[in-house]
Amino acid sequence: MSDYIHEGFASPQAAFSLRTGSDILGDWSATATHREREAVYAALFSMVDGSLFHAYEVMDDFQLPSELFVLVPNRLVIKIRINFLGSFSIVRIGYREEFSDLFFTRREGYG
């Protein structure tokens, strides 16, 4: 049995590799502050090393079950897609106010 995927679901302890979205990261990074870049890079690295689900607040996108919202300090959000076979894609990066499809009810003061 694979440590990465079990019956189509990603294990919270799985390590993933970035498949697509580096262009999104590059475009976003061009206008981000050093502190914002460090926060986003740390979250993305935690996805790669398997600690994301323990280190960050992660919310499901109920409209797209394979996509997740990762709440990052500095009021940032990374939307990622879990792909098959242990990889992920960056879908979007921005401030939480820019995500109209995400409702922040539990931790309004996050970041």
Side-chain angles (χ1 to χ4, degrees):
M1 176 171 35
S2 170
D3 289 337
Y4 298 108
I5 302 292
H6 178 67
E7 297 181 18
F9 293 98
S11 165
Q13 292 141 355
F16 293 86
S17 61
L18 179 61
R19 183 170 187 193
T20 62
S22 58
D23 56 332
I24 294 169
L25 179 60
D27 291 346
W28 173 82
S29 294
T31 60
T33 67
H34 179 73
R35 186 174 176 194
E36 291 169 336
R37 282 192 302 272
E38 283 184 343
V40 167
Y41 296 159
L44 292 172
F45 182 76
S46 72
M47 184 64 176
V48 172
D49 76 7
S51 66
L52 178 99
F53 297 96
H54 300 289
Y56 292 88
E57 186 169 1
V58 178
M59 301 173 73
D60 293 327
D61 182 337
F62 296 106
Q63 296 176 345
L64 299 167
S66 64
E67 295 186 4
L68 305 168
F69 298 98
V70 180
L71 281 61
V72 180
N74 301 321
R75 302 179 59 86
L76 292 165
V77 177
I78 307 169
K79 188 169 187 187
I80 59 172
R81 178 181 307 112
I82 305 294
N83 301 316
F84 189 66
L85 298 176
S87 68
F88 74 101
S89 298
I90 299 170
V91 176
R92 197 165 136 208
I93 303 171
Y95 294 102
R96 69 181 196 178
E97 295 83 10
E98 298 169 7
F99 285 79
S100 61
D101 46 354
L102 180 59
F103 299 101
F104 291 88
T105 57
R106 295 188 317 166
R107 295 179 67 185
E108 278 300 318
Y110 189 82

mmCIF file of all heavy atoms in Angstrom, residues 3 7 9 11 14 25 30 37 39 45 49-52 57 61 73 78 80 87 89 95 101 109 111:
data_model
loop_
_atom_site.group_PDB
_atom_site.id
_atom_site.type_symbol
_atom_site.label_atom_id
_atom_site.label_comp_id
_atom_site.label_asym_id
_atom_site.label_seq_id
_atom_site.Cartn_x
_atom_site.Cartn_y
_atom_site.Cartn_z
ATOM 1 N N ASP A 3 2.178 4.988 0.727
ATOM 2 C CA ASP A 3 2.055 5.977 1.796
ATOM 3 C C ASP A 3 1.454 7.273 1.284
ATOM 4 O O ASP A 3 1.077 8.129 2.061
ATOM 5 C CB ASP A 3 3.433 6.290 2.391
ATOM 6 C CG ASP A 3 3.981 5.130 3.196
ATOM 7 O OD1 ASP A 3 3.186 4.288 3.655
ATOM 8 O OD2 ASP A 3 5.196 5.086 3.353
ATOM 9 N N GLU A 7 -6.795 4.729 -1.987
ATOM 10 C CA GLU A 7 -8.119 4.787 -2.586
ATOM 11 C C GLU A 7 -8.503 6.189 -3.037
ATOM 12 O O GLU A 7 -9.604 6.659 -2.820
ATOM 13 C CB GLU A 7 -9.160 4.242 -1.613
ATOM 14 C CG GLU A 7 -8.951 2.777 -1.285
ATOM 15 C CD GLU A 7 -9.997 2.236 -0.346
ATOM 16 O OE1 GLU A 7 -11.063 2.861 -0.199
ATOM 17 O OE2 GLU A 7 -9.750 1.186 0.244
ATOM 18 N N PHE A 9 -7.479 9.146 -2.014
ATOM 19 C CA PHE A 9 -7.400 10.241 -1.065
ATOM 20 C C PHE A 9 -5.964 10.430 -0.619
ATOM 21 O O PHE A 9 -5.244 9.472 -0.361
ATOM 22 C CB PHE A 9 -8.282 9.978 0.157
ATOM 23 C CG PHE A 9 -9.733 9.982 -0.175
ATOM 24 C CD1 PHE A 9 -10.407 8.803 -0.398
ATOM 25 C CD2 PHE A 9 -10.420 11.183 -0.307
ATOM 26 C CE1 PHE A 9 -11.751 8.800 -0.730
ATOM 27 C CE2 PHE A 9 -11.755 11.193 -0.632
ATOM 28 C CZ PHE A 9 -12.427 9.999 -0.846
ATOM 29 N N SER A 11 -3.068 11.143 1.903
ATOM 30 C CA SER A 11 -2.816 10.969 3.321
ATOM 31 C C SER A 11 -2.294 12.271 3.909
ATOM 32 O O SER A 11 -1.452 12.920 3.302
ATOM 33 C CB SER A 11 -1.780 9.868 3.523
ATOM 34 O OG SER A 11 -1.278 9.904 4.827
ATOM 35 N N ALA A 14 1.385 12.416 3.853
ATOM 36 C CA ALA A 14 2.045 12.197 2.570
ATOM 37 C C ALA A 14 2.909 13.381 2.185
ATOM 38 O O ALA A 14 2.602 14.517 2.505
ATOM 39 C CB ALA A 14 0.995 11.963 1.490
ATOM 40 N N LEU A 25 3.137 31.009 -9.079
ATOM 41 C CA LEU A 25 4.018 31.410 -7.987
ATOM 42 C C LEU A 25 4.965 32.522 -8.442
ATOM 43 O O LEU A 25 5.158 33.513 -7.741
ATOM 44 C CB LEU A 25 4.821 30.211 -7.481
ATOM 45 C CG LEU A 25 5.810 30.469 -6.352
ATOM 46 C CD1 LEU A 25 5.096 31.000 -5.109
ATOM 47 C CD2 LEU A 25 6.571 29.190 -6.039
ATOM 48 N N ALA A 30 6.491 38.290 -7.953
ATOM 49 C CA ALA A 30 7.021 39.531 -8.530
ATOM 50 C C ALA A 30 6.536 40.771 -7.784
ATOM 51 O O ALA A 30 7.240 41.790 -7.745
ATOM 52 C CB ALA A 30 6.652 39.622 -10.005
ATOM 53 N N ARG A 37 6.650 36.370 0.602
ATOM 54 C CA ARG A 37 7.274 35.269 -0.150
ATOM 55 C C ARG A 37 7.766 34.181 0.798
ATOM 56 O O ARG A 37 7.549 32.991 0.560
ATOM 57 C CB ARG A 37 8.423 35.785 -1.011
ATOM 58 C CG ARG A 37 7.970 36.468 -2.273
ATOM 59 C CD ARG A 37 9.108 36.713 -3.255
ATOM 60 N NE ARG A 37 10.175 37.519 -2.685
ATOM 61 C CZ ARG A 37 10.227 38.845 -2.704
ATOM 62 N NH1 ARG A 37 9.267 39.530 -3.300
ATOM 63 N NH2 ARG A 37 11.236 39.493 -2.149
ATOM 64 N N ALA A 39 6.646 33.407 3.747
ATOM 65 C CA ALA A 39 5.497 32.701 4.320
ATOM 66 C C ALA A 39 4.912 31.698 3.326
ATOM 67 O O ALA A 39 4.608 30.554 3.687
ATOM 68 C CB ALA A 39 4.426 33.708 4.753
ATOM 69 N N PHE A 45 6.736 24.436 0.946
ATOM 70 C CA PHE A 45 7.722 23.440 1.327
ATOM 71 C C PHE A 45 7.115 22.435 2.296
ATOM 72 O O PHE A 45 7.413 21.243 2.230
ATOM 73 C CB PHE A 45 8.964 24.084 1.941
ATOM 74 C CG PHE A 45 10.012 23.069 2.295
ATOM 75 C CD1 PHE A 45 10.792 22.500 1.299
ATOM 76 C CD2 PHE A 45 10.197 22.668 3.601
ATOM 77 C CE1 PHE A 45 11.745 21.541 1.607
ATOM 78 C CE2 PHE A 45 11.147 21.716 3.923
ATOM 79 C CZ PHE A 45 11.920 21.141 2.930
ATOM 80 N N ASP A 49 7.266 18.418 2.149
ATOM 81 C CA ASP A 49 7.842 17.539 3.176
ATOM 82 C C ASP A 49 6.791 16.789 3.994
ATOM 83 O O ASP A 49 7.132 15.984 4.852
ATOM 84 C CB ASP A 49 8.812 18.297 4.084
ATOM 85 C CG ASP A 49 8.160 19.187 5.121
ATOM 86 O OD1 ASP A 49 6.928 19.163 5.288
ATOM 87 O OD2 ASP A 49 8.900 19.936 5.790
ATOM 88 N N GLY A 50 5.517 17.051 3.735
ATOM 89 C CA GLY A 50 4.453 16.300 4.384
ATOM 90 C C GLY A 50 3.936 16.879 5.680
ATOM 91 O O GLY A 50 3.105 16.268 6.341
ATOM 92 N N SER A 51 4.372 18.069 6.063
ATOM 93 C CA SER A 51 3.942 18.640 7.346
ATOM 94 C C SER A 51 2.827 19.676 7.214
ATOM 95 O O SER A 51 2.374 20.209 8.219
ATOM 96 C CB SER A 51 5.140 19.262 8.067
ATOM 97 O OG SER A 51 5.640 20.376 7.347
ATOM 98 N N LEU A 52 2.371 19.964 6.021
ATOM 99 C CA LEU A 52 1.377 21.023 5.801
ATOM 100 C C LEU A 52 0.128 20.833 6.651
ATOM 101 O O LEU A 52 -0.347 21.763 7.287
ATOM 102 C CB LEU A 52 0.976 21.098 4.322
ATOM 103 C CG LEU A 52 -0.091 22.153 4.043
ATOM 104 C CD1 LEU A 52 0.566 23.410 3.512
ATOM 105 C CD2 LEU A 52 -1.129 21.642 3.082
ATOM 106 N N GLU A 57 -3.534 25.762 8.906
ATOM 107 C CA GLU A 57 -4.969 25.541 8.830
ATOM 108 C C GLU A 57 -5.323 25.345 7.361
ATOM 109 O O GLU A 57 -4.977 26.173 6.507
ATOM 110 C CB GLU A 57 -5.746 26.727 9.405
ATOM 111 C CG GLU A 57 -7.229 26.462 9.469
ATOM 112 C CD GLU A 57 -7.980 27.500 10.284
ATOM 113 O OE1 GLU A 57 -7.357 28.444 10.793
ATOM 114 O OE2 GLU A 57 -9.202 27.355 10.382
ATOM 115 N N ASP A 61 -12.281 22.926 -0.320
ATOM 116 C CA ASP A 61 -13.162 23.626 -1.242
ATOM 117 C C ASP A 61 -14.285 22.638 -1.539
ATOM 118 O O ASP A 61 -14.086 21.657 -2.244
ATOM 119 C CB ASP A 61 -12.420 24.007 -2.529
ATOM 120 C CG ASP A 61 -13.304 24.790 -3.488
ATOM 121 O OD1 ASP A 61 -14.547 24.686 -3.404
ATOM 122 O OD2 ASP A 61 -12.752 25.492 -4.345
ATOM 123 N N PRO A 73 0.182 32.868 7.214
ATOM 124 C CA PRO A 73 0.296 34.163 7.904
ATOM 125 C C PRO A 73 0.347 35.331 6.912
ATOM 126 O O PRO A 73 0.608 35.143 5.730
ATOM 127 C CB PRO A 73 1.615 34.026 8.669
ATOM 128 C CG PRO A 73 1.744 32.568 8.926
ATOM 129 C CD PRO A 73 1.186 31.918 7.683
ATOM 130 N N ILE A 78 -3.221 30.175 -0.086
ATOM 131 C CA ILE A 78 -2.767 29.440 -1.259
ATOM 132 C C ILE A 78 -3.841 28.413 -1.560
ATOM 133 O O ILE A 78 -4.241 27.661 -0.677
ATOM 134 C CB ILE A 78 -1.449 28.696 -1.007
ATOM 135 C CG1 ILE A 78 -0.375 29.615 -0.470
ATOM 136 C CG2 ILE A 78 -0.982 27.996 -2.284
ATOM 137 C CD1 ILE A 78 0.851 28.881 0.040
ATOM 138 N N ILE A 80 -4.537 25.084 -3.502
ATOM 139 C CA ILE A 80 -3.797 24.018 -4.161
ATOM 140 C C ILE A 80 -4.748 22.911 -4.596
ATOM 141 O O ILE A 80 -5.828 22.754 -4.032
ATOM 142 C CB ILE A 80 -2.689 23.442 -3.257
ATOM 143 C CG1 ILE A 80 -3.270 22.875 -1.967
ATOM 144 C CG2 ILE A 80 -1.628 24.473 -2.956
ATOM 145 C CD1 ILE A 80 -2.256 22.137 -1.125
ATOM 146 N N SER A 87 1.220 14.271 -6.223
ATOM 147 C CA SER A 87 1.668 15.587 -6.662
ATOM 148 C C SER A 87 0.572 16.610 -6.380
ATOM 149 O O SER A 87 -0.574 16.263 -6.145
ATOM 150 C CB SER A 87 2.020 15.581 -8.154
ATOM 151 O OG SER A 87 0.866 15.402 -8.940
ATOM 152 N N SER A 89 -0.696 20.933 -7.359
ATOM 153 C CA SER A 89 -0.577 22.093 -8.233
ATOM 154 C C SER A 89 -0.992 23.338 -7.469
ATOM 155 O O SER A 89 -1.900 23.288 -6.645
ATOM 156 C CB SER A 89 -1.480 21.942 -9.459
ATOM 157 O OG SER A 89 -1.101 20.818 -10.217
ATOM 158 N N TYR A 95 -4.473 37.368 -1.172
ATOM 159 C CA TYR A 95 -4.958 37.732 0.156
ATOM 160 C C TYR A 95 -6.328 37.125 0.364
ATOM 161 O O TYR A 95 -7.094 36.945 -0.584
ATOM 162 C CB TYR A 95 -5.029 39.252 0.308
ATOM 163 C CG TYR A 95 -3.662 39.886 0.269
ATOM 164 C CD1 TYR A 95 -3.205 40.524 -0.876
ATOM 165 C CD2 TYR A 95 -2.829 39.823 1.378
ATOM 166 C CE1 TYR A 95 -1.940 41.100 -0.908
ATOM 167 C CE2 TYR A 95 -1.562 40.387 1.349
ATOM 168 C CZ TYR A 95 -1.131 41.024 0.197
ATOM 169 O OH TYR A 95 0.123 41.567 0.159
ATOM 170 N N ASP A 101 -14.797 32.718 -2.719
ATOM 171 C CA ASP A 101 -15.337 31.373 -2.543
ATOM 172 C C ASP A 101 -14.922 30.746 -1.219
ATOM 173 O O ASP A 101 -15.201 29.597 -0.949
ATOM 174 C CB ASP A 101 -14.920 30.466 -3.695
ATOM 175 C CG ASP A 101 -13.442 30.565 -4.054
ATOM 176 O OD1 ASP A 101 -12.748 31.432 -3.484
ATOM 177 O OD2 ASP A 101 -12.994 29.798 -4.901
ATOM 178 N N GLY A 109 -9.388 36.707 12.732
ATOM 179 C CA GLY A 109 -8.168 37.461 12.935
ATOM 180 C C GLY A 109 -6.911 36.759 12.454
ATOM 181 O O GLY A 109 -5.826 37.159 12.768
ATOM 182 N N GLY A 111 -3.643 35.556 10.802
ATOM 183 C CA GLY A 111 -2.581 36.199 10.035
ATOM 184 C C GLY A 111 -2.281 37.562 10.546
ATOM 185 O O GLY A 111 -1.494 38.292 10.162
#
